[in-house]
Amino acid sequence: MPTLTSDFLDFARDKRADLLGIAPIERFDDVPGDHHPTSIFPECRSVVVVGKRITRGTLRGIEEGTQFDLYGQYGLAWLADRMLAITTITLATWLEDQRFEACPIQDLSPEIPPSGIAVRPDLPAPNVMIDVRAAAVRAGLAEIGYCGEVLTPQFGPRQRFQLILTDAPLEPTPMLAEPVCDRCRACMESCPLGAWDAAGDVSITLSGKTMAVAGIDYAQCRQCRNGAQPNPHHPAGRPDRLGALCVRTCVAHLDETGRLRNAFVTPFRKRPVWHR
Ligand code: SF4
Ligand code: SF4
């Protein structure tokens, strides 16, 4: 028998949302107020995480070292600010058609500092930034891989996410049980800039899920010219590494070992890699 949640999932699939997870607000209990969804929408009951894939071909120009702009458009700016944003607001309008409020949230790095002053002493200063990557884990879609990026069983590191905060009574998605990352360390071993502290692994726990992540010097990643880019919104934000050599090496590894549901008839990495 169809429910609000099953109808919503059917609609999302029809609108080509590649990934959709639902985190009940209780999975954010350990998040401080200056990054908490209810600081934006106090009646929020569920955080819907919407994802669209970065197609493998979008990485091809960087992998070959001959075309970087197509990733910047179809993998980064256009994907997030146009294609995914349209999917997110389309799903939000569906929820509001059912008479539930739906607040769309883009992926702005939580490292970005507040840019205003609190309007009341009991409220955090604007703008509250929600950690969208962590929300994807809390919604059961993903884990944080050893490379420090979000990995899903469908696409590995190849996707971007946005959120919808809603008071709709949606059924939660279970936390992801199957591991995606096999801790092979090929990602960090490929780094030509020495951004990896091999003895500096850190442990991250999100909604009870604990993941081992490499010690990464993001100051090096901000300077990296191997497919990485500065954060598109703020210099203090996390650099974009989804086209970088380390993460493309993860794409190649997950492909070769058959660990992704989005499989291909040919391998991703066909020639020796370049680096600077
Ligand atoms: S390359 Fe290996 S260790 Fe690194 S994130 Fe991918 S699966 Fe994990
Ligand atoms: S983004 Fe560049 S510097 Fe950072 S870990 Fe990856 S390859 Fe190394």
Side-chain angles (χ1 to χ4, degrees), residues 53-75:
R53 77 183 83 178
I54 299 170
T55 66
R56 200 181 81 169
T58 293
L59 297 173
R60 180 56 54 201
I62 298 183
E63 177 68 7
E64 305 304 330
T66 52
Q67 213 323 336
F68 291 73
D69 284 352
L70 78 90
Y71 169 79
Q73 293 156 346
Y74 288 97

Side-chain angles (χ1 to χ4, degrees), residues 188 191-193 195 216 220-221 224 226 228 241 244-246:
M188 300 315 300
C191 175
L193 300 189
I216 299 166
Q220 293 284 1
C221 302
C224 178
N226 294 285
R241 299 164 71 235
L245 176 56
C246 51

Side-chain angles (χ1 to χ4, degrees), residues 8 20 33 49 53 55-56 74 85 101 134 183 207 222 234 238 240 248 258 273:
F8 183 50
L20 194 125
V49 181
R53 77 183 83 178
T55 66
R56 200 181 81 169
Y74 288 97
E101 189 165 315
R183 268 64 199 176
S207 304
R222 287 189 175 86
H234 195 282
R238 187 182 277 261
D240 179 73
R248 282 183 286 110
V273 294

Side-chain angles (χ1 to χ4, degrees), residues 97-136:
D97 282 348
Q98 320 308 309
R99 305 197 301 160
F100 298 105
E101 189 165 315
C103 171
I105 302 279
Q106 68 180 130
D107 182 2
L108 295 173
S109 176
E111 288 85 4
I112 296 174
S115 55
I117 57 170
V119 299
R120 277 201 328 242
D122 58 330
L123 291 177
N127 286 317
V128 168
M129 304 293 185
I130 302 174
D131 189 337
V132 170
R133 295 157 25 99

